[in-house]
Amino acid sequence: MHPAASIIAFTVASGAGFGLIAALGLPAAWGAAPTGALFWWGFVVAFALAIGGLLASTLHLGHPERAVRAFSQWRTSWLSREGVLAVATLAVAGAYALSILGGLPVARILGPVAAVLSLVTVFATSMIYAQLRTVDRWHTPLTPVAFLGFALGSGVTIAAALHAATGEARLWPIAALVFTAIGWIARRRAWNAGDRRAPTSTPETATGLGHLGRVRLFEAPHTGPNYLLKEMGFVVARRHAEKLRILAAGVGGFVPMILDIVAWAGVAPALLLSLSAILLLAGLVVERWLFFAEARHAQMAFYDRSHT
Amino acid sequence: MTALPGKTDRTLGLVIDLDTCVGCHACVVSCKEWNTGGYGAPLADADAWGAEPVGAFLNRVHTFEVTPDSGAAMNVHFPKSCLHCADAPCVTVCPTGASYKRAEDGIVLVNETACIGCGLCAWACPYGAREQDPVEKVMKKCTLCVDRIYNDNIPEQDRIPACVRTCPAGARHFGDLSDPGSEVSRLVAERGGFDLMPEQGTSPVNKYLPPRAREPESIDLAALCDTDLAEPTGFFAWLDRALERL
């Protein structure tokens, strides 16, 4: 699948933004809603990431001026649900922020509600991909697990950095580490499963001619490029993919988790946790690029020349 | 809107005979021509006369090579367009309601004024039946020539999809597949019509008829192409020698 920059930015940034909203919202349940500098930095960064990501997602639309129509089909469409949930989450999170400013007790309820809505939004984002039977690498429960792990991993790491910079990091670096680990374990398992899995659809099933013999494309229907091949025919060299996986998991997983531990031990926590968050997000950009670039779409079976 | 109708009154679709198709692409050209002037926005091309032309098509003809375990390989020409699936995943993923399946005849259509061009329907379709128009930036797909089949302004014999009307080999058939007595249903029953990618769970309406088994060659054609010519004699031998000397 074509790794569009706008979609990579959307999923990584909005995931981190909603993860941060969850990290700011849940503590309100036990009366630890963010205040002071943590409040301002937290909500500004969270809204910037979440809204920035959502705006980036409209860049790949053929008709962004009609984007408001995408809120209408939540009964069947995960993409529509994602849009509705994102707006609902931002509205509740905004109300939560205002209730903290106003010192209203309703913050204790609005915070956890915003946190839960954030996670449901990220789940809906992941289901846009996980629902597609046409893409074997995406059509697995590991897709929502990885998306939720990475959203919480990046959001909580940012929250940990902000806690460290404005007060005390306490157990936040450990929480960041745990969620980051969940994301990467799910991703590693999905990579392995995807490598092992035989394609659901083959040239034989695509043409229904498998009973006659091995099937391969002999002559393509068109001599130039087309939308289908540009959008779904993207292929990444296997050896490059393996290097990029190691790079992504190293920069976005291993190093940030080491930094989280060192920061938790009390060494320059604000600096190290900020670095951890930046590296994690950089690693996630590579991870998300691979998420698209490595995914093979079923319709490519109609273009498969490999069988002999 | 994007909820699929439980059942449709009729189930209009195509039956494509892979035994008869000669791969001439006439259906592709006819489809492109009709859909550039008919329903919806024109079916556009970008850079049509340039170095990298790219255009939207609703129907494309692949040619496959089928190699049996033993014996000669066979080429099969394979026209491919929207299959108007009963469980159309392209419809349910649509966030705007632009995609819909008609309850009256099962045709899957796109309301082009509501389409945001997100392309998720093209990702959801396992057949590559949806393409984004390079100029209009909305999703395009086979309409089963909805603007021909119900069109009282054209002669009755033309009220079938353009691809079916034009096929010089008679490889394309159009009709109601929910009616067991229809010509298309009888073809499917008699010839063993099948679904493409049944494992994708789309329940396609369009059916394909398999190529008939090839008869084994009764004479050895290769032996007839003996190029080992005998030496000329008589007049031709003299002419040959005379020309050689010149």
Side-chain angles (χ1 to χ4, degrees):
Chain A
M1 306 292 289
H2 172 62
S6 58
I7 302 294
I8 293 170
F10 154 57
T11 57
V12 172
S14 72
F18 287 118
L20 181 52
I21 289 176
L24 295 172
L26 190 63
W30 54 88
T35 52
L38 176 65
F39 171 90
W40 290 108
W41 277 108
F43 279 104
V44 166
V45 173
F47 279 106
L49 284 170
I51 296 172
L54 292 170
L55 289 178
S57 76
T58 65
L59 292 177
H60 88 288
L61 299 180
H63 283 274
E65 78 282 4
R66 299 174 185 163
V68 71
R69 288 181 182 272
F71 296 116
S72 66
Q73 300 304 307
W74 49 270
R75 285 181 196 82
T76 69
S77 167
W78 280 107
L79 178 50
S80 186
R81 287 171 197 162
E82 198 267 350
V84 172
L85 284 163
V87 170
T89 304
L90 291 172
V92 174
Y96 169 54
L98 290 177
S99 71
I100 296 172
L101 276 187
L104 304 174
V106 73
R108 279 187 93 110
I109 297 160
L110 288 176
V113 171
V116 170
L117 276 174
S118 287
L119 298 185
V120 179
T121 304
V122 173
F123 176 75
T125 306
S126 72
M127 286 306 292
I128 297 171
Y129 308 101
Q131 69 174 330
L132 297 174
R133 289 173 92 150
T134 49
V135 183
D136 288 338
R137 278 191 188 275
W138 296 351
H139 191 56
T140 153
L142 289 170
T143 299
V145 175
F147 270 67
L148 283 164
F150 286 140
L152 280 170
S154 50
V156 173
T157 306
I158 296 169
L162 294 176
H163 275 283
T166 58
E168 260 190 285
R170 293 192 303 274
L171 281 176
W172 283 97
I174 297 303
L177 182 147
V178 168
F179 290 121
T180 305
I182 290 171
W184 282 109
I185 289 167
R187 174 52 63 224
R188 183 75 246 178
R189 290 180 70 116
W191 279 339
N192 290 345
D195 291 347
R196 278 195 306 269
R197 183 173 178 168
T200 303
S201 295
T202 63
E204 285 77 21
T205 67
T207 59
L209 299 173
H211 64 287
L212 296 173
R214 302 273 284 159
V215 180
R216 74 177 196 103
L217 180 67
F218 180 74
E219 200 167 32
H222 43 96
T223 51
N226 76 350
Y227 176 79
L228 300 173
L229 293 182
K230 283 185 187 172
E231 192 71 10
M232 285 166 268
F234 191 91
V235 181
V236 59
R238 187 65 201 274
R239 60 183 195 286
H240 291 166
E242 198 47 55
K243 279 182 197 158
L244 285 169
R245 284 179 185 182
I246 294 167
L247 182 75
V251 171
F254 185 72
V255 177
M257 287 193 276
I258 297 285
L259 292 174
D260 292 345
I261 293 172
V262 176
W264 175 66
V267 183
L271 179 71
L272 293 190
L273 288 169
S274 303
L275 191 60
S276 173
I278 290 164
L279 288 176
L280 174 51
L281 289 174
L284 286 183
V285 169
V286 180
E287 180 272 335
R288 215 49 55 86
W289 187 89
L290 281 169
F291 180 73
F292 291 96
E294 287 198 280
R296 176 191 175 276
H297 192 279
Q299 74 103 12
M300 290 309 290
F302 289 104
Y303 286 93
D304 194 339
R305 292 179 186 274
S306 64
H307 294 179
T308 49
Chain B
M1 304 257 266
T2 54
L4 294 167
K7 68 180 277 295
T8 56
D9 300 339
R10 292 196 297 162
T11 308
L12 297 183
L14 301 175
V15 171
I16 294 168
D17 190 345
L18 298 177
D19 193 61
T20 318
C21 177
V22 294
C24 70
H25 292 245
C27 55
V28 178
V29 176
S30 180
C31 167
K32 179 83 171 175
E33 189 276 337
W34 177 262
N35 284 292
T36 297
Y39 169 96
L43 195 57
D45 300 304
D47 197 23
W49 289 274
E52 276 235 327
V54 61
F57 285 77
L58 312 184
N59 178 32
R60 295 185 184 266
V61 179
H62 297 237
T63 299
F64 293 100
E65 181 184 71
V66 186
T67 311
D69 290 337
S70 64
M74 172 173 32
N75 274 4
V76 179
H77 304 293
F78 195 96
K80 180 167 68 69
S81 54
C82 171
L83 306 164
H84 298 280
C85 303
D87 289 316
C90 57
V91 171
T92 52
V93 300
C94 176
T96 66
S99 282
Y100 59 104
K101 184 172 174 70
R102 287 161 45 119
E104 61 267 42
D105 52 18
I107 300 178
V108 176
L109 289 176
V110 177
N111 173 1
E112 294 179 355
T113 59
C115 175
I116 56 173
C118 70
L120 189 59
C121 54
W123 287 9
C125 172
Y127 306 108
R130 286 172 169 251
E131 300 182 17
Q132 191 175 92
D133 189 279
V135 174
E136 202 61 31
K137 301 292 182 193
V138 295
M139 301 312 289
K140 285 287 191 176
K141 67 176 297 301
C142 163
T143 67
L144 214 59
C145 281
V146 68
D147 50 349
R148 286 175 71 99
I149 59 178
Y150 297 115
N151 193 336
D152 294 336
N153 299 314
I154 59 176
E156 200 173 344
Q157 67 268 28
D158 288 336
R159 292 177 205 161
I160 54 175
C163 57
V164 178
R165 185 78 180 98
T166 206
C167 179
R172 306 180 67 98
H173 308 269
F174 165 71
D176 180 5
L177 284 137
S178 68
D179 171 10
S182 68
E183 185 219 1
V184 283
S185 294
R186 285 207 307 274
L187 270 172
V188 170
E190 285 164 17
R191 294 277 309 284
F194 60 84
D195 291 346
L196 306 187
M197 291 184 178
E199 70 280 5
Q200 291 281 342
T202 52
S203 309
V205 167
N206 286 11
K207 303 286 184 240
Y208 283 73
L209 306 179
R212 292 186 182 89
R214 295 289 192 267
E215 287 181 18
E217 287 182 7
S218 51
I219 47 171
D220 186 0
L221 290 171
L224 299 176
C225 304
D226 191 355
T227 54
D228 190 20
L229 297 172
E231 281 294 305
T233 55
F235 171 73
F236 287 106
W238 170 83
L239 185 65
D240 190 40
R241 284 196 302 276
L243 288 170
E244 204 61 39
R245 275 198 294 274
L246 279 176

